[in-house]
Amino acid sequence: MRCRRAGPRRSRRLRLLNEEGIEGLTTRRLARELGVQSPALYWHFKSKRELLDLMAEAMLAEALPPDREPDPEHWPEWIAADARAKRGALLAYRDGARVHAGTLPAEDELPAVEAQLGALSRAGLRPRTALRLLLTVDRYIMGWVTEEQAWRQDAADRERPPFPDDALRELPLLREAADVLRMTDHDADFEYGLRVMIEGFRAEIARESAEPAGAGDGLGWRHDHP
C-alpha cells in the first residue's frame, strides 16, 4: 500500500521536477534538495519508480480527491470533468505526463476505482466495458498531455512557425484545417477527442443493453475470438 509522505517533502520534490525536468530528477539531486545523503533516500523510496508514483499521486491529490462520488445518471459529465482536472494537474508540472506514465493505482485508491465502476455499471455498462472506458480516457489524457507538453517546450527551439502558409499553398485540405494542424487551440482539440470517446461509450451502453449478458465483448467480437 502506498504511504502518504509529509507535505513539505512532497512539495520540494515537485518543485525540483519543475526546475530540472524528469531527466534531472536524480537521486543525488533529490538528496541534496532534501539535505540527506543519497543512500538515506532508500529509507523513503525503494526505487525511482516508487518516487515517481508518489509524485504522480501528489500532482493529482487536489484535482481528483478520492472521496468524490460519481453520479451514474450524469456519467458523461463527471468523466469529462475528471479528464479536464487530470489534464490540468499534469500540465501544471514540467514533464507531468511523463512522471505519471506507467503508474498504477495504490491499494488505498482501488475503492475509488470501484465506485466509478459501480456508477458506470448502474448507467448500463458491464464492468469490463466500464473499466475499458476509464482506461481509454486515462490513456487519451496521458498521450495528449505528453504531446502537448513536448509541443510547448519545443516551441522556442523552432526556427520558424510550424506548417507555414507557403508549405500548404498546394494542399487545400490541410490549409483549410491549418489551425488543427498547428495545434493553435489545445483546449478545443482536447475537448473534441474527449467528446467523441464519450459518445462512443454512449453507443456501447445501447449495444450492451440490447445484448444478453456474456454475448459479446463490446466490439461485436465473440469471447472465443483469437
Side-chain angles (χ1 to χ4, degrees), residues 60-109:
L60 302 180
E62 293 184 8
L64 297 171
D67 58 350
R68 64 195 189 283
E69 296 184 5
D71 179 1
E73 293 186 8
H74 301 95
W75 67 267
E77 287 82 0
W78 63 257
I79 287 287
D82 276 12
R84 295 180 191 118
K86 185 168 187 176
R87 173 181 172 237
L90 295 177
L91 285 174
Y93 296 96
R94 180 177 172 183
D95 294 331
R98 291 179 64 194
V99 169
H100 196 276
T103 60
L104 297 173
E107 290 182 18
D108 56 351
E109 295 169 330

Side-chain angles (χ1 to χ4, degrees), residues 7-69:
R9 285 177 179 263
R10 178 184 300 173
S11 62
R12 277 185 281 177
R13 293 194 299 269
L14 292 176
R15 189 183 72 223
L16 181 60
L17 175 67
N18 273 341
E19 292 174 356
E20 304 289 341
I22 194 170
E23 305 299 342
L25 193 66
T26 63
T27 53
R28 179 176 297 180
R29 180 69 178 84
L30 181 60
R32 187 163 68 248
E33 175 72 19
L34 298 177
V36 299
Q37 296 296 315
S38 293
L41 281 181
Y42 293 100
W43 288 98
H44 302 280
F45 316 110
K46 294 179 180 179
S47 64
K48 188 172 181 178
R49 177 70 267 169
E50 183 181 2
L51 169 61
L52 294 176
D53 286 351
L54 290 164
M55 292 177 68
E57 179 185 344
M59 288 178 190
L60 302 180
E62 293 184 8
L64 297 171
D67 58 350
R68 64 195 189 283
E69 296 184 5

Side-chain angles (χ1 to χ4, degrees), residues 170-214:
E170 298 182 10
L171 304 170
L173 300 180
L174 281 175
R175 189 170 65 248
E176 182 177 338
D179 59 327
V180 177
L181 183 66
R182 294 166 180 153
M183 290 187 272
T184 58
D185 192 338
H186 293 278
D187 293 342
D189 293 340
F190 176 82
E191 288 292 326
Y192 177 85
L194 184 61
R195 178 177 61 80
V196 168
M197 280 192 296
I198 288 174
E199 290 303 316
F201 278 99
R202 283 187 193 272
E204 283 303 293
I205 288 179
R207 183 203 303 271
E208 293 193 351
S209 297
E211 290 180 347

Side-chain angles (χ1 to χ4, degrees), residues 68-79 82 110-127 129-131 133-134 201 205 208:
R68 64 195 189 283
E69 296 184 5
D71 179 1
E73 293 186 8
H74 301 95
W75 67 267
E77 287 82 0
W78 63 257
I79 287 287
D82 276 12
L110 293 178
V113 178
E114 180 76 6
Q116 291 179 315
L117 294 180
L120 291 171
S121 295
R122 292 194 297 277
L125 287 174
R126 296 170 188 157
T129 311
L131 186 55
L133 187 161
L134 297 178
F201 278 99
I205 288 179
E208 293 193 351

